[in-house]
Amino acid sequence: MKSGSARAAPGPGGRLRQASSGIATVLAYAAALMAYGFAACFLAGMAGWAGRLP
Amino acid sequence: MTARPRLDDYRIILAYSGRVAIGLGAVYAVPLAVAALEGEWAAFVDLSIGCSASLALGAALASLMPREARPGWLHGMVATAVSWLLAMFLAAIPYRLSGHYASWLDSLFDAMSGFTTTGLTLVQDLDHLSRALNTWRHVVTFVGGQGVVVLALSFLVGGSRGGYELYVGEAKDERLFPRVAHTAKAIWKISAVYLAVGVGALWVAGLSIGLPAKEAFYHGAWVYMAAWSTGGFAPMSQNVGYYHSAVYELVCVAFFLAGSLNFALHHALMTGNRRELARNAEVISFTVTFAGLFTLAAWALAGSGTYGGIATLLRKGFYHVISAHTTTGFMTVAARQFAREWTPLALCAMILAMMAGGSACSTAGGVKGMRVAMLWLAIRNEVRALLLPSHASFRRRIHASGDRDLGDGVVKGAALVALLYVATWVLTTMAGVAAGYSPMDAAFEGASVTGNVGLSIGVTAPGMPAALKVVYLLVMWVGRLEFMAVLALGRFVLSAFGRRRP
């Protein structure tokens, strides 16, 4: 692409790829939050279990 | 329009509201098609009456538009507030006619709860609701998530003047394109893409837990519409707990989290700008507040031994905190389990999550991550200004789908809305206490109503006092429109009794 020229709009296939990539990014973010949730539950569970020991 | 309104002012406002009513009438086609397909003729008649009323009243009001209309900010704001009230009345007609609601007030409450994507419900015998009426409940919440005005802007108002004022009145200020009608259409396109993916994913999840194919499709469509809209309605009285499936719950989390993100962010991601997710101030704000509040809730629940294992803690604790923070309101426990099994500290974390809310210009409610980020940065800047030498300068910008100035006016606006949310929550809590509920129950339900969340601790029920139903209904409306449109309506009504314009 020449300097200063407008970026060409993607075709139908390109738009579909971009949309899929956008959704995949959001799903990856959701997965990262779930992974954090698991780690926090694990640590809280261990701490809670230790706290209830006689 | 500062003095007494003229006849043309009323006509412009009513005409815009009429266009929204016509849009709503067109949306009735979806549940009517379901009723016809399923042979639910009683529901078909009820829905036809609602549809006819919407189209007839809408056409009558839309014809009032003056030829030389010059709509301004106040027209747009007032028309938005009026449109939401009108939509509530028109959507409630089939509810009341169905016999599943004890009164008109309960029907109106459910319609407002749907449009505002709150998700609290006063329906009776939900498990035996017709498919058509269940579809209508979820279509209402789906339309409400995108915005009833966005619907009208997309198809009816088009390029006419006043569109941007209406759009802003509905608490949306992102312009994905220079023309607001194009922005409204882009919002619907993003939702349509997710609709296809979400219904498909939930259909497969439904099949995997043994639902028949047709039932899995209906449940998938209903639950998706409620999830994407961060609505919280579900087709069964046990809410998402009905499915008893971790997979179903995980798929729901993915789509209600997506629904709570800014449409401008979705647009950036879907046009190839994937890095925006990591740079966006709203996403960072949400991630930090969610991580903090969930850690607090998990620690409180684990310490009290409410849930025995780590897996149960994750499935119940994580699910409800993220449901609260995205203002979705899906539940997998009974309402009174919050009061009986969750500790006060865990409930406090839930209240804070519900108040913080999702992203601006999304389907979510609450104070919003953008304002939380703005206020945090403003406080940080103030502290820096105190500590650094007087000649030192630093960046006062925030990144959310582009860099924005973090000037005093912007911070003041964010602080004002946040303050109004907190004040409304306090007043709603006091109303709950005055109605005889415990302070914690009233505070929890108050946060759920103010933030348009839909999680219930057991206060919202058909038997609750009628006055509290009215308070909750109004607070849902005010909270969804982020105060300004309703305050503009209040000023308009007051000015109608003011001095006549010279």
Side-chain angles (χ1 to χ4, degrees):
Chain A
M1 193 168 69
K2 285 179 187 171
S3 172
S5 64
R7 199 199 310 183
R15 278 202 294 272
L16 189 66
R17 267 196 303 278
Q18 283 186 343
S20 309
S21 165
I23 293 171
T25 309
V26 171
L27 296 182
Y29 173 56
L33 284 183
M34 287 175 205
Y36 172 78
F38 181 79
C41 281
F42 181 77
L43 292 173
M46 295 306 282
W49 174 73
R52 287 197 304 277
L53 282 178
Chain B
M1 205 170 67
T2 52
R4 198 167 174 177
R6 292 178 177 170
L7 183 61
D8 273 2
D9 296 325
Y10 291 106
R11 289 176 67 179
I12 291 168
I13 290 164
L14 290 174
Y16 273 132
S17 305
R19 291 177 183 187
V20 171
I22 293 172
L24 188 69
V27 171
Y28 262 108
V30 179
L32 278 169
V34 172
L37 276 172
E38 297 295 331
E40 295 173 339
W41 300 114
F44 188 88
V45 172
D46 298 344
L47 290 159
S48 299
I49 293 169
C51 177
S52 309
S54 303
L55 292 175
L57 185 64
L61 293 177
S63 69
L64 295 175
M65 182 64 90
R67 277 190 188 169
E68 297 292 321
R70 272 189 247 161
W73 274 103
L74 202 53
H75 293 115
M77 290 280 178
V78 175
T80 301
V82 171
S83 297
W84 278 69
L85 285 180
L86 184 63
M88 171 189 73
F89 280 104
L90 294 170
I93 293 170
Y95 289 173
R96 182 67 184 121
L97 296 177
S98 72
H100 281 271
Y101 293 85
S103 63
W104 270 107
L105 179 58
D106 289 11
S107 310
L108 295 172
F109 183 99
D110 237 57
M112 184 56 91
S113 177
F115 278 124
T116 57
T117 75
T118 304
L120 291 169
T121 184
L122 296 176
V123 66
Q124 298 190 0
D125 197 17
L126 175 59
D127 296 345
H128 296 101
L129 209 62
S130 65
R131 284 195 174 119
L133 199 62
N134 240 329
T135 303
W136 180 232
R137 290 176 75 234
H138 290 87
V139 166
V140 162
T141 205
F142 189 61
V143 168
Q146 279 49 248
V148 291
V149 163
V150 167
L151 174 77
L153 282 172
S154 308
F155 306 107
L156 298 165
V157 179
S160 67
R161 296 177 64 172
Y164 185 63
E165 288 81 358
L166 282 163
Y167 180 70
V168 173
E170 205 166 48
K172 288 185 167 63
D173 55 1
E174 299 280 1
R175 291 182 89 156
L176 311 182
F177 296 98
R179 287 171 69 95
V180 73
H182 292 170
T183 299
K185 281 179 183 162
I187 287 175
W188 277 102
K189 277 183 190 168
I190 292 165
S191 299
V193 169
Y194 270 98
L195 176 73
V197 177
V199 174
L202 285 167
W203 181 62
V204 172
L207 290 175
S208 75
I209 57 172
L211 288 176
K214 191 164 91 170
E215 208 63 20
F217 174 76
Y218 275 119
H219 280 253
W222 294 329
V223 172
Y224 167 77
M225 284 192 270
W228 170 256
S229 306
T230 62
F233 277 162
M236 308 304 286
S237 54
Q238 290 169 289
N239 208 269
V240 176
Y242 168 78
Y243 303 102
H244 293 289
S245 163
V247 173
Y248 213 91
E249 290 161 22
L250 281 178
V251 177
C252 286
V253 169
F255 289 102
F256 66 63
L257 180 67
S260 78
L261 298 175
N262 196 313
F263 281 110
L265 174 65
H266 281 296
H267 182 71
L269 295 175
M270 286 188 169
T271 49
N273 184 9
R274 291 172 64 184
R275 291 176 60 196
E276 179 61 27
L277 187 81
R279 297 176 62 209
N280 193 288
E282 276 188 295
V283 176
I284 296 167
S285 159
F286 179 89
T287 308
V288 170
T289 52
F290 171 74
L293 292 170
F294 176 62
T295 305
L296 192 66
W299 182 62
L301 291 172
S304 65
T306 304
Y307 298 116
I310 291 165
T312 319
L313 181 60
L314 179 70
R315 203 165 151 192
K316 301 296 180 190
F318 176 85
Y319 190 81
H320 289 104
V321 176
I322 199 161
S323 176
H325 207 322
T326 55
T327 74
T328 305
F330 276 159
M331 296 167 68
T332 59
V333 298
R336 289 309 289 166
Q337 280 182 278
F338 282 125
R340 291 185 182 136
E341 297 177 0
W342 284 47
T343 62
L345 184 60
L347 292 178
C348 286
M350 290 285 280
I351 289 171
L352 286 174
M354 289 193 277
M355 291 299 289
S359 295
C361 197
S362 72
T363 65
V367 172
K368 309 278 167 59
M370 176 66 90
R371 295 196 184 94
V372 174
M374 281 177 175
L375 295 176
W376 164 251
L377 288 174
I379 292 167
R380 196 187 68 176
N381 287 346
E382 285 300 312
V383 174
R384 273 188 185 178
L386 284 173
L387 298 177
L388 289 172
S390 57
H391 56 81
S393 64
F394 47 88
R395 207 161 170 252
R396 290 174 191 270
R397 294 178 85 80
I398 188 166
H399 181 87
S401 303
D403 282 344
R404 300 157 189 224
D405 279 327
L406 199 58
D408 290 345
V410 175
V411 173
K412 189 176 148 194
L416 189 67
V417 174
L419 187 69
L420 284 169
Y421 263 110
V422 173
T424 306
W425 169 63
V426 170
L427 290 173
T428 312
T429 300
M430 286 166 68
V433 172
Y437 296 94
S438 76
M440 181 55 92
D441 286 5
F444 187 97
E445 208 84 358
S448 181
V449 171
T450 311
N452 299 127
V453 181
L455 288 170
S456 178
I457 201 164
V459 174
T460 303
M464 71 194 277
L468 194 59
K469 288 178 188 172
V470 174
V471 169
Y472 281 3
L473 186 153
L474 293 174
V475 170
M476 286 190 275
W477 174 55
V478 171
R480 182 71 175 109
L481 296 181
E482 294 187 350
F483 306 100
M484 293 309 158
V486 178
L487 291 175
L489 175 63
R491 184 185 158 183
F492 182 82
V493 171
L494 285 177
S495 65
F497 299 102
R499 64 185 169 80
R500 190 168 291 282
R501 200 180 307 207

